[in-house]
Amino acid sequence: MGNKHHRTVDRVAELLEAAVARPGASLTELARAVDAPVSSVQKLVDGLVAVGYLDEDRRRYTLGPAPSVLSVRAGRPAVPVRHGVLAGLSERLGLPVQLAVRVGDDAVWVDWAGADEAFDYALSSQVRRPLVDTAAGRVLVAHLAAAARQAVVRAARPDDPAAGLALLADLERIRATGCETGRSGRLVPDAVAVAVPVWSEGQVVAAVSVIDRSGALGDGADEVAAVLREAVGPVA
């Protein structure tokens, strides 16, 4: 947590995420997505195809099988929440529902349902947010091992020990209550979110959150959290 970024590694990660967000993208479209010249992207894309991280079909690119193979070999639990569950929750609650996982220092939105066009566009354009910036991300941090949790807090509040201690207290509250209610983050600054953890094989593998931009939640956050927990399964 809080590790230094490497320009080439970041570019590779951006290309893989762009291929997921835009299945069948051309090389030019991938280059535009990562804001880089085609000439600098070409070799990276060719290399990713060679090792199975991207697939190519008539100069169109999709995610290859290698990431899934590594995940299976590492024994990482799959996220046991299908899109239909998110859609059912959104319909029941009348609000957008999102699914996030931790990837490095970020919370990444992997699926969502019930978003209007503007919200859908915003999510598609910015699927990563720093972990502590969103309710779902804070849920993910709260359930990390203590050393990893403290590393995230130090990176997020490097010059303010008091703020770091306050954040650790918030994370302890999240573990105790099983949910987080708070601001959704800079992506939707006026929204309030209710988020709960998704458990699989004894560990938290994701977080599901409901996003309210209209004040519809009112004082019903606890009831919404209960609905979310019922839908995504019991605590392991």
Side-chain angles (χ1 to χ4, degrees), residues 89 93 97 194-196 208-210 224-233:
L89 282 168
L93 298 169
V97 179
V194 178
V196 304
V208 169
S209 58
V210 168
V224 168
V227 170
L228 294 178
R229 280 193 290 266
E230 179 184 7
V232 301

Side-chain angles (χ1 to χ4, degrees), residues 12-25 29-31 33-34 61:
V12 168
E14 289 171 352
L15 285 169
L16 294 174
E17 291 174 3
V20 171
R22 304 164 180 80
E29 289 167 336
L30 290 177
V34 302
Y61 299 91

Side-chain angles (χ1 to χ4, degrees), residues 128-218:
R128 283 180 177 262
R129 292 301 309 155
L131 280 165
V132 301
D133 281 6
T134 67
R138 292 189 293 275
V139 165
L140 295 170
V141 176
H143 292 86
L144 293 174
R149 185 166 60 244
Q150 291 170 25
V152 171
V153 171
R154 279 193 294 271
R157 306 287 187 265
D159 302 316
D160 193 341
L165 288 172
L167 179 53
L168 283 172
D170 284 340
L171 299 176
E172 183 177 1
R173 171 185 51 77
I174 292 168
R175 290 194 303 279
T177 62
C179 73
E180 165 69 328
T181 301
R183 291 295 170 187
S184 182
R186 296 190 187 98
L187 182 62
V188 191
D190 296 326
V192 173
V194 178
V196 304
V198 177
W199 292 82
S200 179
E201 300 180 18
Q203 58 185 297
V204 171
V205 297
V208 169
S209 58
V210 168
I211 311 299
D212 176 24
R213 293 184 290 165
S214 63
L217 280 176

